[in-house]
Amino acid sequence: MAVMKFGGRILSNLFSRPATLNYPAEPREYPERSRGHVEFDPTNCILCGICSKKCPSHAVSVDKKGRTVSIDRKSCIQCSYCVDSCPKGCLSMRPGYCEPGASIPVDVFEVPEKTVSQKETD
Amino acid sequence: MTQNQTFETAEPGRIPALAQELRDGGYRLVQLCAVAMPEGTELVYSFDKDFDLRNIKAYVPEGETIGSITPWFWSAFVYENEVHDLFGVSFEGSQLDYKGNFFRVSTKTPWKNTANAGKGA
Amino acid sequence: MNDILFLLAFPFVAACLMLAIRDDRIRTAVAEVSAAIVIVTSAWVAYRYLGQPESFAFHSETIDSLMAVTEFVLGLAIIYIGYKHKKYLASVLGAITLVLFLGFEVFLKEGIETDNALYIDDLSIIMVLIIGIIGSLICVYAVGYMRDFQKHHPDDKDRRPWFFFLMYTFLSAMFGIVLSNDMTWLFFFWEITMLCSFTLIGYTKTDEAIRNSFRQLIMNQTGGIAFLLAMMILADRYGFLSIDTLLMQDGEAQWIMVAVMLLAIAGIVKSAQMPFHTWLLGAMVAPTPTSALLHSSTMVKAGVFLLLKLSPLMMGNACGYMVATVGGLTFLLASMAAISQSNAKRVLAYSTIANLGLIVACAGVGTPEAVWAGIMLTIFHAITKSMMFLCVGTAEHHIGSRDIESMDGLFERMPRLAGIMILGIVGMFLAPFGMLISKWAALTSFVEDGNLVLIGCLVFGSAVTSFYWTKWLGKLVCTASREGNCEDTVHCQEWVAVGSLAVLTVAICLMYPGVSDAAVIPWLEGAFGGFSEDLVPLLESNNMWIVLIMLVVLILLPLPFFRRTSKRVVPNYMAGEGVDSMSYRGSMGGTVEVSMRNWYMSGWFDEDRLGKIGEVLTVIVMAALLAAAALGVFA
Amino acid sequence: MSGTTKSPWLLHYDASSCNGCDIEVLACLTPLYDVERFGVINTGDPKQADLFLVTGAVNDQNKNVVRQLYEQMPEPKVVVAVGVCACSGGIFGDCYNIIGGVDKVIPVDVYVPGCAARPESIIDGVVKGLAVLEEKRKKISEAKS
Amino acid sequence: MGKRTIVPFGPQHPALPEPVHLDLELEDETVVRAIPSIGYVHRGLEKLTESRDYKDMMYVMERVCGICSFGHGWGYAGAVEGLMGVEVPERGQYLRVMFHELSRIHSHLLWLGLLADGLGFDSLFMHCWRIREKILDVFEAITGGRVILSFCEIGGVKKDLTPEMLRMVGEACDFVEDEMRKTGLVFMKDTSVRNRLCGTGVLSKEDAMSLCSVGPVARGSGVNNDIRSVSPIYKDLGFEPVLYDEGDCWSRCMVRVDEIMGSLEIVRNAIRNLPGGDVSVPVKGNPPVGEYVFRVEQPRGEAFYYVKSDGTKHLERARVRTPTNINIPAMVKTLQGCSLQDVSMLVITIDPCISCTER
Amino acid sequence: MTTIESILMAVAFIALAPAIGCLLAGVDRKVSARMQKRRGPPILQPAYDVGKFLSKEQITPNSTQDFYVVCFLLFTIGTGAMFFAGMDLLLVIFTLTLAETFLILGAYSSGSPYSQIGAQREMYVAMAYEPVILLMAVCYYLEYGSFSVSDISSSDGMAVVPLIGVFLAFLFVLTMKLRKSPFDLSLSHHAHQDIVRGMATEFSGRTYAMLEISHWYESVMLLGMVALFFANGTVAGIVIGIIAALLAWILEIWIDNGFARMKWQTALKSGWVVTLVLGMGNVAVLLI
Ligand code: SF4
Ligand code: SF4
Ligand code: SF4
Ligand code: SF4
Ligand code: SF4
Ligand code: SF4
Ligand code: SF4
Ligand code: SF4
């Protein structure tokens, strides 16, 4: 038994620097592997729709006719499953989270028509 | 961590007697789970004694009831009430019966209603 | 002197009249008119004799014999009743009393003449006013109350004539106690109050009532025997039997001290101090007006009256120490025991015992300041406590329970009554009301006296007191009730009595310094020979101003509130599962009503255990000091 | 009085989340993030709260609770939906007992996505919520005058 | 005095970060009856097997609970691997143990903080959570998530660790150990902490057994059903079960304090003995018809996984019985007769993770 | 003190105490944060909080609650004013009890179970600390022959020396009176508590603001009582008193952060034991 076993600790805390990060005044650095948000690079996308099928929370949808891939930021759970399953490596997971706000965007990406030659060179 | 994977099958009527036997034999109840089956529900009881696992399955046909094991394993009330609320299986002689208020779900007995229907969709 | 005699005799005449009247309406009228007459007479007596103490040479062999015969007959009756109910202890004590009494009458009293059988002084006047005004108001209240009582007990025979006979007889006896100088008279009236109380406690004739009435009887018989013994000692050793002569004696003289101790024990029994406190708790089975009249405002006050009267003889000696210790311990322990009670009448009973304990302690300390505090406490306590009893009685008839737990939200159901009750409770323990101010004076006097035990008892006891009163208050003020208003069926007699007492409670606080100057200080000057006002530091003028300001603020401040609020009314927080302010969705489905029960901490403040502790301690103190005094240790 | 934005007291309710976001909300209070720097106090009492932080996708049993807590808060008040579950139902959106997003029950002012929402993100959400709070306060005082 | 105080405790309650409700009946401060109500977090996620294939289900199972997310991933993966006969490479197994134990450390620290918070000991709460952040930093650097790790996959773990990362883990262990040496003593010895915990909510060994308690609750009452005891890999890493006999809140607390130390040791040993090779094997095809049970020792106790397949990619049943689920009876039992001030102590020391209980 | 001085002191208290109390509360939060290795809120945070509460929508569970809280505030102010005006210490103490009672009634009035439980706890904590406070007055009286604060503060010699027992006891119960850990049973300043917000559960808006302001007044008055132990009629005495009071405040913060909330049984028992040993012991010594 000891009265105020923690007393010394808190006193020394009082005279040492606080551990608090000065966020948001100083932005936070994230480690490389940090799963922040999904990025889409349309260059190689073949609109196969695998990402959309795999996504456990239906955050990606692929519109083959309209040639768009859209990511619903409000639903994405950053699981990386789409990234891992895309056969063309169009998707990547990047640090940095999607900003909070009064509304959260559904990012729609156009996938440009690819020429045959391009396809062949792949 | 890997266990004994055998599944014994028992008549639903024998479950209370088995429970008593296992309790007297020093087993503890690990879990009770239900699987929706065509026209009924399969219950899986697991018991453990010194890391030795015994799984006992019992098939309860639709509309029939099964004896509660709460007289021997009081803590089974959490499972039995859950199975009652989600699968619609009734347990007789429960020591703590929430009468369908354990989980207040939007659809009554959601597992039973859609059993097999949505399967594989 | 005739006015005094009238005051003594009139209530008894009215009582006999009411015994004869069978018609409810006529009896009501008689009761009310008699009460008015008693009030007017007491006021007149007070007015006439205030500041002019007087003794009355009054001697009548006839009356003396009449009293002796009455006492003898009543003694025989007690022996018989005890025998009939198999309460042999009562019979035995009755027999002892009778034998002692006969011995006293035959052998000792011979030749002792008391010239001034009656007297009146400022202390008596205070008591006369308490008995006359409060007692009469309670009798008025009883008219309405007993009507309901009879309704609630339809199977019982209507024994209301008997009830009112006892109540009014009792008033006479009380006047007798405070006005008699002759100790044989005093003893006579003393025994009469005991019998009234005995009969009224047993009024409902239930087993419990009878058991409790006998407990009262037995204990008070013990007190009576002590009284008789004291008289015998005085008669035998000193050859006088009058109070005024007694007060002129030297308190340190061996047999005077023993006699005073015995008288003090009689007073302690009557004021329900430990170890004799249980009779008062048992007395709560009596109809509520009885509790208010006999067991809070008057009869128990006879005990403290006697002690205050004798206090000059107790200052700084063993007897005083005995009385003070008993009072102090009773105050502390009874206050603690009150915490564990939820029955409103029992709480009031314990609080009565506790407050009387404080007064007794003041008497025991015996310094003028202490006695000043004791007298002030007596006044405030009589008014406020009787009011509380009456309120509880009315509430009981309308909400069907005398349990504090059932008084949830009384403020909504019976706003006026609850308001008065709140006033009563606040008056019992909070500044700026009289009880607290007097307690403050008591504390000062204890400190002056340097009595560590008393300081401790008072300091802890006050803290404990706040607890049980505040939690009761809380019940009254909370707005969590579903029942509607049920106040309109309260009888007008009840309103008159309760309302007058409420007005008195406030008025007497406003007149605090006046009462002190007009009656208490002159009496103290007479009794102690010199007493300066400075001895009561709280009477300093700026303190009194603050007290007055607080009083006014407290009375006026509520006015702007208690209307519809302009704020948005949001039901109570119920962890998100609320249905409304009072209920929530429960675990097993369905709506669950929230209920709040106050704390009783019975593990800490177990009444039986506390009672035992008190009994043991006080018996030891009393027995040891009495034995020592009898052996002449202090002489 | 612009004390409003300097003293946001928050009420947190877990409307069937997986705990992930709850512990991140709690983590915001701890030394590393210390939202008390902005005057935030995590109160348990809706009657003293300004910000309502809801985590989880709201199930059937919770919807009344969420609604009631919201109603018991005095105006101006702001609702912040923390985590993907609270924003849209997220991965549990298909579950039979899930209503799917806090905005199905009460109006949401700020959405904080992420699974789990990071403390930094929650802080940003709170700061955004403060702006909304100030706006609402102004609107109310204008309506009064 | 027939009346009792009836109070709703929760679902929204500052002493409970999670929604659970109790109907409390009190006499003074003594609880004479407590009826729990759960279901506030019931989502029905096990039923998502009907629309998510067995690999997708992994992401759902990880979100059974955000505190021991990793363990749930492992449990589910273990069951499916068993069903499919997949053998996880040794390095993968070691990494799983390592992350599981790191999760335990973070979970216990979190819990100690919540206990301190429940005790009204703010500074201690802050202290524990500050220590915990170190583990979360490790998590984020290695797996990319602070809370939901998404690190386990069927067949092994998703990513390998670089040597720097291993060093980082070791450093974090040193930091935590250093802090815990002192902080543990506070829980063990401080008067005010002991005042609240010692002798509070005693669960006897017999009760712990008959109520089928698991985890620190059982071990605080001297019952060892720590499933790690029979795992060869844990044995190699020097695992010892922590047992206390008093059965009160304090012993449940001390089990967790000591387990942090034990887990630190295991993690260190795992770093030291980490074998080389792959961290996972590819898994193809649908699970065969059959069923499989698997148990994992989560921070809160034994978790039980049951999977049943009908040969399609959608499992017929994926069931998880979480530790809290079976500790609720012990909680109800100890609540009877306790004091209101101890309700939060009891609830916290039993540590109901409602999210996992209700799924 | 003359009447004019008394009035001036009372007015000064009424005007300055909220500012000082607010700063004290701010220091409390800042220092607490630093003890927890956090940065903490600005020093003026308590003022922002109160400002916010004043400007919020006003909600209430019933129409009577406000009355009690207003009374609590008024009588708390009155108590402090009387204390600093040098009036009778017993009167101050009794008025303090009155104020306290109003707070308890305010908690009762809504019928909320949490605030009522808080009220019960407040009552028995009061039962634990009240004897000490009364004994403090008794000891002053025994030492200086007067209950008047002005007499005490202008007498020679520092009261701590003969009154060391009650002084320590007073420091002990100060924790209860300020509702700080380990005895913050009825109404914790930290928002996390087993009975929600305790007595203040149903307080919001202006009502809550009044509660906070009352706390400010109360803190200043209680620290004034600490200072009284050191006052000896000289400027130096007053300065030492103020320093002692501030140290007491820091001590309370430290204790607050160094303790878990104890069981109520412990609160009551320890309060009474301290009263008996230190308080009554001191009285006994002074009597001899
Ligand atoms: S949650 Fe927002 S930030 Fe994160 S990946 Fe999705 S869209 Fe990007
Ligand atoms: S593998 Fe995926 S994307 Fe390809 S067909 Fe099957 S479901 Fe669709
Ligand atoms: S990260 Fe996961 S949730 Fe987000 S889009 Fe990809 S698969 Fe869907
Ligand atoms: S992003 Fe990848 S997976 Fe998705 S549609 Fe394009 S190619 Fe297919
Ligand atoms: S986002 Fe969906 S899956 Fe994730 S916790 Fe919320 S409801 Fe559950
Ligand atoms: S968003 Fe993710 S972490 Fe947050 S509650 Fe939902 S599933 Fe859990
Ligand atoms: S018990 Fe644990 S998991 Fe549950 S809410 Fe509290 S911290 Fe989160
Ligand atoms: S008990 Fe379940 S929900 Fe709770 S932390 Fe452990 S795994 Fe997560």
Side-chain angles (χ1 to χ4, degrees), chain D residues 93-129:
Chain D
D94 297 345
C95 294
Y96 58 82
N97 205 29
I98 288 294
I99 292 172
V102 179
D103 49 9
K104 298 257 166 42
V105 186
I106 51 173
V108 171
D109 299 289
V110 177
Y111 296 89
V112 181
C115 178
R118 301 183 53 95
E120 288 89 358
S121 182
I122 298 173
I123 293 177
D124 289 349
V126 166
V127 170
K128 290 229 162 86

Side-chain angles (χ1 to χ4, degrees), chain A residues 2 5 33-35 56 81, chain E residues 52 56 140 142 144 149 160 191:
Chain A
K5 191 81 193 143
R33 282 189 183 181
S34 177
R35 282 181 281 123
Y81 200 20
Chain E
R52 306 283 201 283
D56 253 23
E140 182 163 29
I142 296 171
L149 306 187
D160 201 354
T191 326

Side-chain angles (χ1 to χ4, degrees), chain C residues 245-498:
Chain C
T245 321
L246 176 62
L247 286 173
M248 284 181 288
Q249 306 298 313
D250 171 15
E252 311 284 324
Q254 181 183 356
W255 290 105
I256 291 289
M257 184 183 279
V258 174
V260 173
M261 275 187 171
L262 286 168
L263 286 175
I265 289 175
I268 282 173
V269 175
K270 195 124 254 176
S271 51
Q273 296 299 289
M274 283 177 179
F276 306 105
H277 66 292
T278 45
W279 77 257
L280 186 69
L281 297 169
M284 293 300 127
V285 297
T288 300
T290 312
S291 309
L293 180 60
L294 279 72
H295 307 132
S296 80
S297 61
T298 53
M299 182 168 111
V300 289
K301 294 290 185 329
V304 294
F305 166 76
L306 183 63
L307 291 167
L308 288 169
K309 190 92 199 156
L310 296 175
S311 58
L313 290 174
M314 302 197 280
M315 182 160 58
N317 64 23
C319 176
Y321 190 75
M322 172 185 93
V323 172
T325 312
V326 168
L329 286 173
T330 306
F331 173 65
L332 177 64
L333 295 169
S335 301
M336 286 180 161
I339 289 183
S340 64
Q341 303 303 310
S342 77
N343 177 332
K345 280 185 80 173
R346 263 183 105 76
V347 173
L348 291 180
Y350 267 119
S351 141
T352 303
I353 295 171
N355 283 309
L356 292 170
L358 199 55
I359 303 172
V360 168
C362 287
V365 168
T367 58
E369 302 90 318
V371 176
W372 183 90
I375 296 173
M376 290 314 248
L377 278 170
T378 311
I379 300 172
F380 291 118
H381 182 256
I383 300 172
T384 318
K385 194 50 78 56
S386 52
M387 178 172 88
M388 282 305 292
F389 268 109
L390 301 188
C391 287
V392 168
T394 300
E396 183 184 359
H397 277 172
H398 290 84
I399 62 174
S401 164
R402 56 167 72 158
D403 198 305
I404 292 173
E405 291 302 327
S406 311
M407 294 186 188
D408 265 321
L410 195 68
F411 200 72
E412 287 191 318
R413 287 186 277 168
M414 306 183 78
R416 269 182 294 171
L417 188 77
I420 294 175
M421 247 163 135
I422 291 172
L423 176 71
I425 294 178
V426 167
M428 289 306 297
F429 80 109
L430 280 180
F433 291 91
M435 283 299 286
L436 186 99
I437 304 279
S438 315
K439 239 183 233 175
W440 174 3
L443 177 63
T444 317
S445 66
F446 295 169
V447 176
E448 286 280 351
D449 194 47
N451 190 327
L452 190 64
V453 175
L454 284 190
I455 295 175
C457 288
L458 185 64
V459 159
F460 281 98
S462 320
V464 170
T465 308
S466 310
F467 186 70
Y468 69 80
W469 284 127
T470 313
K471 68 182 187 179
W472 185 349
L473 262 189
K475 279 281 152 190
L476 298 177
V477 303
C478 85
T479 50
S481 121
R482 294 189 176 281
E483 279 101 316
N485 188 310
C486 57
E487 201 167 45
D488 25 312
T489 50
V490 178
H491 294 291
C492 73
Q493 285 99 342
E494 296 181 33
W495 282 130
V496 168
V498 172

